[in-house]
Amino acid sequence: MPSLTVENYVKTIALIAAANPPGTAVGTGLIAQALHVSPGTVTGMLKTLSEANLATYAPYEGALLTEAGQRLAMKVIRRHRLLERFLAETLTMTWDEVHEEAEHMEHAASERLIDRIDAFLGYPSVDPHGDPIPRADGSLAAIEAAPLALRQAGERFRVVRVIDQDPAFLRYLSECGLELDAAGEVVANRPESGAIVCTMAGRSVALGLAAAEKVLVSIAAPGRDPDDHEPRAAESRAKRG
Ligand SMILES: [Zn+2]
């Protein structure tokens, strides 16, 4: 059955579910929004998915992927993220260009091609946005990262993931030097001003806190290399709600 539409639905449900506590049903409204279709269209499709045993669906609650649905979703996400990485590395496409291409290619690439690409790239763990690439067995590595918006003055960090992949937003981040793996230091974080100020490669960069929520960073104690993972002392005091 896996048609393009079915693949897009299970992928979308899995991506939304990943941001919520396990076992939380994904509402039809959220799915409709993500796929730019009407809630009625989503309801119809969820019935199809439940008949195919890919999801369970309860009216007014939403959808939960079954084991088979989750497995299919991980396959599609694996194809998507490996293709993005492949395009970035072999054709030097930038991180704001790869998503759109991968959206089309993810439905066409065979498992065999994807496994070859995986091996060719040396089994990478993340895509060009820092999103984890599901392994061939469907498992996913955990990524230790927290929003830049929660970091305090004096903290050094490294950009490890960007969760908004709007091309214009990504290009803006590139202009600011906030690219994947870039290291920086927080100069000031004043929620009342709505902005965080950092230095990136010796240059001062101000970013709105809403944007800084979407840039995930790994942290290190001041004066240490951000690759040395320190226990997250900053984590508990950083929760501002
Ligand atoms: Zn993408």
Side-chain angles (χ1 to χ4, degrees):
M1 161 183 208
S3 70
L4 182 151
T5 313
V6 168
E7 291 191 343
N8 278 335
Y9 268 80
V10 294
K11 178 180 74 168
T12 300
I13 296 168
L15 291 175
I16 297 173
N20 294 321
T24 314
V26 177
T28 46
L30 284 177
I31 303 170
Q33 213 175 21
L35 289 169
H36 307 290
V37 295
S38 73
T41 305
V42 173
T43 306
M45 190 61 197
L46 289 180
K47 284 178 188 152
T48 308
L49 292 184
S50 77
E51 280 158 21
N53 191 34
L54 292 171
T56 57
Y57 166 64
Y60 306 108
E61 280 179 36
L64 272 174
L65 291 179
T66 61
E67 222 181 285
Q70 181 68 18
R71 218 177 309 123
L72 176 60
M74 282 301 137
K75 275 188 187 176
V76 182
I77 294 168
R78 171 175 161 81
R79 281 184 239 144
H80 181 100
R81 292 179 178 170
L82 273 172
L83 286 163
E84 284 188 335
R85 178 88 184 219
F86 183 71
L87 294 171
E89 285 197 17
T90 61
L91 301 181
T92 62
M93 288 175 77
T94 51
W95 67 346
D96 57 297
E97 296 175 313
V98 292
H99 177 78
E100 199 51 44
E101 296 298 337
E103 280 292 281
H104 301 294
M105 295 169 72
E106 70 185 22
H107 306 292
S110 71
E111 234 54 63
R112 201 173 62 169
L113 174 63
I114 290 301
D115 289 345
R116 289 284 289 271
I117 286 176
D118 195 16
F120 176 81
L121 295 174
Y123 306 100
S125 56
V126 294
D127 78 5
H129 310 109
D131 291 327
I133 298 172
R135 303 180 189 99
D137 66 4
S139 64
L140 205 56
I143 291 187
E144 289 240 354
L148 175 58
L150 297 179
R151 302 277 72 94
Q152 303 301 313
E155 286 182 329
R156 294 177 63 203
F157 63 85
R158 187 178 294 277
V159 179
V160 295
R161 189 174 185 184
V162 176
I163 53 178
D164 180 346
Q165 294 169 12
D166 173 68
F169 180 63
L170 292 173
R171 282 194 293 273
Y172 177 71
L173 292 182
S174 294
E175 276 171 37
C176 295
L178 281 158
E179 300 198 279
L180 223 58
D181 276 336
E185 182 171 342
V186 178
V187 177
N189 184 351
R190 304 287 302 271
E192 60 274 33
S193 76
I196 184 167
V197 182
C198 310
T199 38
M200 303 297 304
R203 188 169 133 229
S204 178
V205 169
L207 198 67
L209 286 178
E213 278 291 337
K214 301 170 187 171
V215 178
L216 305 190
V217 299
S218 65
I219 51 165
R224 295 187 57 152
D225 190 281
D227 280 337
D228 295 344
H229 282 281
E230 274 284 292
R232 333 199 112 203
E235 202 75 315
S236 47
R237 68 180 143 92
K239 292 271 186 272
R240 272 194 316 269

